[in-house]
Amino acid sequence: MTHYPDRHILVIFGATGDLAGRKLIPALHEIEKDPTTRGRTTILGVARAGLTDDAFRDQVVAALAKHAKPEALRDWVSRCVFYQSLGDASSYAYTALRQRLESLERQLHLPGNRIFYLALPLPAFPPTVESLAGAGLNTSPGWTRLVIEKPFGRDLASARSLNALLHKHYSEASLFRLDHYLGKETVQNLIAFRFGNALWEPLWNRDRVSHVEITAAEELGVEARGSFYEQAGAVRDIIQNHLLQVLALVAMDAPAGLDGTSVSNEKLKILRSIAPLQPDDFVLGQYGAGEVDGKSLAGYRQEPGVSSTSKTETYAAVRLRINTWRWEGVPFYLRTGKRLAKKATRIAVTFRTPPATVFSPYIVCGSENNRLLITLQPNEGFNLSFQVKIPGGGMHLHTQEMRFRYAETFGALPEAYQMLLVDVMQGDHTLFVRNDEVEAAWKVAEPLLDTGREPLLYPAGSWGPTRADELLAPACHQWVNL
Ligand SMILES: NC(=O)c1ccc[n+]([C@@H]2O[C@H](COP(=O)([O-])OP(=O)(O)OC[C@H]3O[C@@H](n4cnc5c(N)ncnc54)[C@H](OP(=O)(O)O)[C@@H]3O)[C@@H](O)[C@H]2O)c1
């Protein structure tokens, strides 16, 4: 049964920023086009810049230039899009924000449901949360929900203090910690794929799985975001949140239900079962200059906004152990990096070789028979590889793949932000991250932070530092560099 969201105002803090323009506004436009969600959302953009409603509407129309003609948007933006400047972000500015919300709710006959979306730089989270509560905006005549973009803190201590501040003013049920990876169809499909099929569960354990690799590789460098990235690095930007969330979904037991509490409970068990990382369990790297397709590429330290002596890692590879009955002895390898050979986010589940084989001459390090490659992006889909005999004389084996591609069956997939925003509107927590998950993930990632290690240089366009191969070599495993 379709569940239409209640009518509400969505207040976007950081409405003039990159995330709002590239992701949130296009997602809201798609939501408006969908008959099941149309007409439910009034948008109030908020930032410090002094803009009129009309100037902000022009920004919204410009952000949608690729999606719709300006004339097709005019009616929607003039009815549903508004702007409130926060100026100096003083308590007066927040009182004015509350009055604006009340006035819009009266004018548009809205029931007083409010979503506050913090698309803000991390340092602006705590003062914004305090100021919202100070102006009484943590409650409303209807329901109030607060969406917090990652990063959720910079380390375990700051995540704990951010969670404590949030809980001072909000119940956990009104909080939505958003990790956009969880809104990707392919990530959600991990639950359907694992628990909607009887085939996988008997194989999904230490008896049948040799090792699991989760890679998020980017071809691009830091582009114009050098100064942001200097404060983040690959561990804070990708490993602590996106990759540990994907790992939890791959490794967790079947949840009692598909509600947020049941799914978070299972993910949490996995995150808490990861053995503390030792210094030889990870490799950190940084891209140097390189050449791709005859084009020279700058090294990270030469990028705008980056220190010439920066130790920020643009690459991280980690070997994890999960101390559960299901996974004891099965290494999980996580890897992410910028300026790598190919853009690809995928999970490779490699199964054990047959226990006794008549084909032993063909089994060498890294030549596993059966592998399930789940591609999260781009070219979303699966490849399942297995051995077949090559027709003709002798017994020669060939690794064959069965493949499935979403695009061929379903066409284009919806954007993660569209799915996640609708979930917030409906109050569904299944694809959001609970406070204890965030803290457990920081606990795993802490040994990788601020190590003082000099990151290993790797050439732009490569698969990262060769030292990362040594994480896998003792177990006779290899990275899937396809
Ligand atoms: N961009 C992405 O693709 C992406 C992806 C995932 C997560 N995120 C996260 O999303 C957040 C926003 O990222 P972004 O890339 O959009 O940043 P951005 O381009 O720098 O935009 C920041 C926005 O926040 C506003 N702002 C800054 N300080 C403020 C304050 N104290 N009160 C109210 N508004 C304030 C800015 O406008 P004024 O200066 O006029 O106030 C601007 O609208 C960050 O936490 C980032 O890590 C971004």
Side-chain angles (χ1 to χ4, degrees):
M1 196 179 70
T2 311
H3 172 191
Y4 293 93
D6 301 329
R7 294 179 72 213
H8 59 273
I9 298 189
L10 171 63
V11 185
I12 305 176
F13 276 77
T16 55
D18 177 71
L19 180 70
R22 274 190 320 109
K23 298 290 182 187
L24 302 183
I25 301 292
L28 288 164
H29 177 238
E30 288 301 317
I31 289 169
E32 186 58 25
K33 279 173 26 191
D34 182 336
T36 63
T37 44
R38 179 178 301 150
R40 321 304 291 175
T41 308
T42 299
I43 300 166
L44 180 63
V46 171
R48 292 168 304 183
L51 296 179
T52 61
D53 285 343
D54 280 337
F56 180 60
R57 287 170 184 150
D58 288 344
Q59 288 194 9
V60 168
V61 170
L64 293 171
K66 276 197 291 190
H67 306 263
K69 293 205 165 69
E71 51 277 22
L73 296 168
R74 285 291 167 202
D75 174 54
W76 172 55
V77 294
S78 57
R79 273 188 302 108
C80 299
V81 177
F82 302 88
Y83 182 82
Q84 177 75 16
S85 165
L86 215 52
D88 59 359
S90 64
S91 59
Y92 298 110
Y94 278 84
T95 303
L97 172 62
R98 195 187 68 222
Q99 289 165 349
R100 183 77 195 277
L101 280 165
E102 290 165 352
S103 145
L104 282 172
E105 284 164 355
R106 272 194 307 275
Q107 183 191 327
L108 302 170
H109 307 292
L110 295 172
N113 300 316
R114 298 171 189 164
I115 299 171
F116 295 85
Y117 193 122
L118 304 193
L120 293 172
L122 178 61
F125 288 180
T128 305
V129 171
E130 288 286 17
S131 302
L132 283 170
L137 285 169
N138 54 337
T139 60
S140 65
W143 45 251
T144 303
R145 294 174 187 151
L146 183 72
V147 184
I148 312 136
E149 262 291 342
K150 68 145 227 191
F152 315 110
R154 281 187 54 73
D155 50 24
L156 181 57
S158 57
R160 278 183 176 147
S161 79
L162 182 58
N163 278 331
L165 172 65
L166 291 167
H167 286 156
K168 199 168 119 194
H169 301 297
Y170 295 89
S171 67
E172 183 64 22
S174 58
L175 295 171
F176 291 77
R177 292 178 197 77
L178 187 148
D179 180 330
H180 68 264
Y181 258 49
L182 297 182
K184 289 180 190 294
E185 278 289 344
T186 44
V187 174
Q188 293 176 57
N189 189 52
L190 290 172
I191 295 181
F193 182 78
R194 287 195 53 206
F195 305 120
N197 296 294
L199 185 66
W200 302 111
E201 185 56 17
L203 308 180
W204 214 257
N205 57 53
R206 63 194 304 277
D207 294 334
R208 290 289 173 265
V209 174
S210 151
H211 59 285
V212 178
E213 171 191 328
I214 305 174
T215 285
E218 291 177 59
E219 271 179 41
L220 293 177
V222 288
E223 308 297 296
R225 304 188 82 213
S227 51
F228 157 79
Y229 202 81
E230 278 287 86
Q231 306 303 316
V235 174
R236 288 188 169 95
D237 198 33
I238 305 284
I239 299 263
Q240 184 275 338
N241 34 73
H242 303 323
L243 292 198
L244 283 175
Q245 282 292 321
V246 172
L247 173 141
L249 288 170
V250 169
M252 73 182 191
D253 287 344
L258 286 182
D259 58 288
T261 304
S262 301
V263 173
S264 284
N265 286 350
E266 295 306 328
K267 286 193 287 168
L268 181 66
K269 274 197 246 167
I270 291 296
L271 293 168
R272 286 190 173 160
S273 302
I274 295 173
L277 289 171
Q278 303 304 315
D280 62 354
D281 284 329
F282 61 92
V283 169
L284 303 176
Q286 189 187 73
Y287 63 85
E291 201 180 285
V292 174
D293 298 333
K295 197 174 145 208
S296 302
L297 298 170
Y300 177 68
R301 291 177 186 177
Q302 287 78 54
E303 300 278 21
V306 173
S307 156
S308 59
T309 56
S310 173
K311 286 187 175 179
T312 301
E313 79 286 354
T314 62
Y315 173 98
V318 190
R319 178 178 56 206
L320 296 161
R321 293 170 195 83
I322 303 177
N323 288 332
T324 61
W325 280 42
R326 186 191 283 269
W327 294 118
E328 178 57 38
V330 178
F332 279 68
Y333 303 110
L334 307 188
R335 171 174 69 155
T336 187
K338 290 194 177 289
R339 280 270 185 257
L340 296 185
K342 185 175 175 177
K343 176 179 167 64
T345 303
R346 61 194 172 206
I347 303 160
V349 180
T350 302
F351 295 93
R352 293 191 186 283
T353 49
T357 178
V358 289
F359 305 110
S360 53
Y362 297 96
I363 295 174
V364 293
C365 234
S367 76
E368 289 86 2
N369 298 359
N370 301 125
R371 186 175 61 211
L372 176 66
L373 193 64
I374 305 174
T375 304
L376 304 182
Q377 62 177 22
N379 301 322
E380 294 85 349
F382 311 137
N383 292 50
L384 178 64
S385 60
F386 49 90
Q387 301 300 108
V388 294
K389 178 184 174 297
I390 300 173
M395 180 57 78
H396 300 294
L397 301 188
H398 167 73
T399 304
Q400 183 59 40
E401 287 192 338
M402 287 201 304
R403 63 192 285 284
F404 158 72
R405 287 289 170 272
Y406 275 87
E408 290 164 12
T409 306
F410 298 110
L413 295 175
E415 273 284 325
Y417 278 96
Q418 182 185 341
M419 315 282 291
L420 294 170
L421 279 167
V422 172
D423 284 352
V424 177
M425 293 170 189
Q426 295 180 325
D428 181 350
H429 277 89
T430 309
L431 301 178
F432 293 82
V433 184
R434 206 168 57 190
N435 59 326
D436 44 11
E437 285 180 69
V438 169
E439 292 178 18
W442 276 119
K443 213 166 175 182
V444 173
E446 283 252 299
L448 308 171
L449 301 175
D450 310 319
T451 58
R453 278 192 201 178
E454 190 71 36
L456 302 171
L457 276 190
Y458 60 94
S462 70
W463 276 107
T466 49
R467 182 84 63 81
D469 298 347
E470 293 170 21
L471 290 177
L472 284 67
C476 194
H477 299 153
Q478 289 177 2
W479 295 107
V480 180
N481 290 341
L482 293 173

